[in-house]
Amino acid sequence: MTMADRNGAPSGSCSFARTDPSAVRFLETHPEWAAKLVAETGIPHAIEHGTWSGETALLRRDGREIPISQVIIAHKGPDGSVEYLSTIARDISLRKQHEARIMRLNRVYRVLSGINTAIVRIRDRKELFEEACRIAVEDGSFRMAWVGLFDRGAGRVTPVAVRGGDRGYLEGIDLTVEDVPGNCRLLAAALREKRDVVSNDIEHDPEMAQLAEQALARGFRSVIVLALVVNDEPIGVLALYAGERDFFDAEELPLLREMAGDISFALKHLESEERLNYLAYFDEITGLPNRTLFSDRFDQRLSAARHDRQLCALIMLDLERFRSVNETFGRQAGDELLRLLAQRLKEGLDETDVLARFSGDCFGIVTRRTGAVSGITKVLDQILFRIQAQPFSVG
């Protein structure tokens, strides 16, 4: 295979390994693309220094790019001049997918943590809604977020907080639960069925047909409508819009459901002005359930395990030498370490597990993932590995 120089003339040989066969065939018939991908940076650097390595992309016949990790080697003659160039490329599509997945989940974790913090400190309902939408857009990078309250008598939803690329979008939607032209069927289904409803491809989803044009014009490709439920009654919705197709996957949905559940839980107490009662159930530093709420949820898991005749395991974790962290670096550093530890613990747990902070440096976990008595050892090893594998960066 030849590599074209800046003028399109062949300048040397080019070898590819573990890359897409169709991309290789494409470059064989369109050598100018090989030069286009690396001529501006890789080739000049390789000629001057002997080698160049970096990430570029190959173009498939269908126009889609394949990310690659590439090395260019300049082969020089006795007089030091470059005789030819060779390159080795490795397809890193899977790695890029994993990186994108981790970034997306981290965004949702930031939103969940931010909203839980807001729930602890905000007493006004409207302020809480506005802060939740702000966090979703600014920390979660959602294109738009809005909260609406449901009037059961009128059968419609009234937006009370909006953040992001609205620009009249909501004004063009009939926000009722009735099946009428122009309404949002996802919103209606979420309220009727008291659950989350997702459209991961707005452009081709028949349920979004009447609203697709407006949504696509604002860069919305996926949307989720989460029902806010108090005392088993729907009181409103939280809607989040993303700019990518297939944004809301199986890993992300439990986190978003937890977020909607936390907001619903907060509303139940804010509406009845039971601020002190609410604070009695959550840890202010980490946003996790405290001993009281943990005991209640543990009883629920234990009852379910008895009913199903399965095992239910209780794990207690104590952070060694935590007092020395507070004494050496101050309480602020200690609080930040607790928040980081809580986040890392949550990332390693299943959606059915319950995590709480009891006091100081003591955490509790309830899990039913043990299967057998020996299974708890495996679960505990996984938990300890996750929190010990990497250092914590504080301050």
Side-chain angles (χ1 to χ4, degrees):
M1 187 187 305
T2 60
M3 176 178 288
D5 62 18
R6 290 178 181 269
N7 298 319
S11 63
S13 65
C14 176
S15 59
F16 290 87
R18 294 180 62 188
T19 191
D20 191 291
S22 63
V24 174
R25 288 194 298 271
F26 181 84
L27 288 176
E28 289 174 344
T29 55
H30 298 78
E32 68 275 13
W33 278 102
K36 184 175 181 179
L37 292 170
V38 296
E40 296 300 323
T41 54
I43 293 177
H45 189 279
I47 291 174
E48 182 178 355
H49 301 281
T51 61
W52 174 86
S53 62
E55 293 183 6
T56 58
L58 298 179
L59 192 68
R60 290 171 54 100
R61 186 179 297 275
D62 59 9
R64 184 166 59 88
E65 287 188 346
I66 304 170
I68 63 170
S69 176
Q70 188 171 15
V71 177
I72 300 176
I73 304 172
H75 301 267
K76 299 182 179 181
D79 61 354
S81 62
V82 177
E83 295 184 343
Y84 66 95
L85 300 173
S86 67
T87 182
I88 299 173
R90 181 168 59 89
D91 188 339
I92 56 173
S93 300
L94 186 60
R95 192 187 82 190
K96 289 295 184 181
Q97 291 173 7
H98 288 325
E99 290 175 354
R101 166 182 163 271
I102 291 171
M103 289 179 62
R104 189 169 68 248
L105 287 177
N106 283 341
R107 289 192 311 185
V108 179
Y109 277 118
R110 287 197 301 271
V111 172
L112 183 59
S113 176
I115 289 179
N116 278 335
T117 301
I119 287 172
V120 172
R121 65 180 176 81
I122 295 177
R123 301 186 60 179
D124 179 73
R125 184 173 62 176
K126 181 172 176 54
E127 183 182 352
L128 175 60
F129 291 152
E130 291 175 345
E131 181 67 1
C133 291
R134 184 197 67 78
I135 292 171
V137 172
E138 295 184 5
D139 294 344
S141 299
F142 288 101
R143 290 294 184 92
M144 186 175 78
W146 67 275
V147 174
L149 293 181
F150 177 47
D151 185 337
R152 180 174 292 276
R156 66 178 297 105
V157 173
T158 302
V160 292
V162 183
R163 193 81 170 205
D166 172 48
R167 300 190 302 277
Y169 177 72
L170 294 179
E171 284 78 356
I173 304 176
D174 188 348
L175 299 174
T176 68
V177 296
E178 301 296 330
D179 188 10
V180 297
N183 81 330
C184 180
R185 295 184 179 180
L186 270 63
L187 178 144
L191 288 170
R192 286 198 306 266
E193 301 170 23
K194 295 179 288 188
R195 64 180 181 88
D196 53 275
V197 183
V198 178
S199 174
N200 264 325
D201 188 356
I202 292 176
E203 184 176 5
H204 300 103
D205 188 346
E207 294 296 313
M208 294 291 294
Q210 300 181 64
L211 307 175
E213 183 177 353
Q214 299 178 52
L216 296 173
R218 292 165 173 82
F220 306 152
R221 297 293 184 274
S222 301
V223 59
I224 183 170
V225 181
L226 298 145
L228 303 178
V229 181
V230 174
N231 295 327
D232 202 37
E233 292 293 333
I235 65 165
V237 295
L238 168 63
L240 302 171
Y241 296 78
E244 305 98 320
R245 291 188 182 90
D246 301 316
F247 184 88
F248 303 101
D249 58 23
E251 291 181 301
E252 199 157 351
L253 288 176
L255 300 175
L256 296 174
R257 289 168 186 152
E258 180 181 348
M259 179 175 66
D262 289 344
I263 294 175
S264 299
F265 182 82
L267 291 176
K268 177 181 178 181
H269 294 276
L270 290 174
E271 289 177 350
S272 59
E273 298 182 353
E274 294 179 354
R275 180 65 177 174
L276 294 178
N277 186 43
Y278 172 73
L279 289 175
Y281 288 99
F282 283 95
D283 172 51
E284 188 171 4
I285 294 176
T286 64
L288 296 177
N290 63 9
R291 182 189 298 271
T292 302
L293 183 56
F294 180 82
S295 298
D296 179 71
R297 292 185 176 179
F298 174 63
D299 288 341
Q300 294 177 14
R301 297 297 193 279
L302 195 60
S303 297
R306 287 170 176 164
H307 179 270
D308 299 334
R309 297 188 176 183
Q310 295 180 352
L311 293 177
C312 180
L314 170 64
I315 301 172
M316 303 295 292
L317 298 176
D318 185 77
L319 196 60
E320 295 290 345
R321 298 184 297 281
F322 178 70
R323 179 178 295 179
S324 65
V325 175
N326 280 333
E327 293 174 349
T328 305
F329 301 101
R331 287 292 300 272
Q332 185 175 358
D335 291 350
E336 179 63 13
L337 176 59
L338 290 174
R339 282 189 286 269
L340 293 172
L341 178 63
Q343 179 177 340
R344 196 172 292 184
L345 283 170
K346 291 172 69 175
E347 292 172 355
L349 296 178
D350 188 81
E351 61 176 305
T352 60
D353 299 335
V354 179
L355 170 65
R357 177 184 174 226
F358 285 174
S359 61
D361 57 351
C362 185
F363 292 81
I365 299 171
V366 173
T367 181
R368 294 181 60 185
R369 294 185 290 136
T370 56
V373 174
S374 59
I376 188 61
T377 303
K378 181 178 179 181
V379 173
L380 186 57
D381 284 343
Q382 291 173 346
I383 293 171
L384 293 177
F385 175 79
R386 175 168 288 275
I387 61 177
Q388 294 176 342
Q390 296 293 331
F392 291 91
S393 178
V394 177

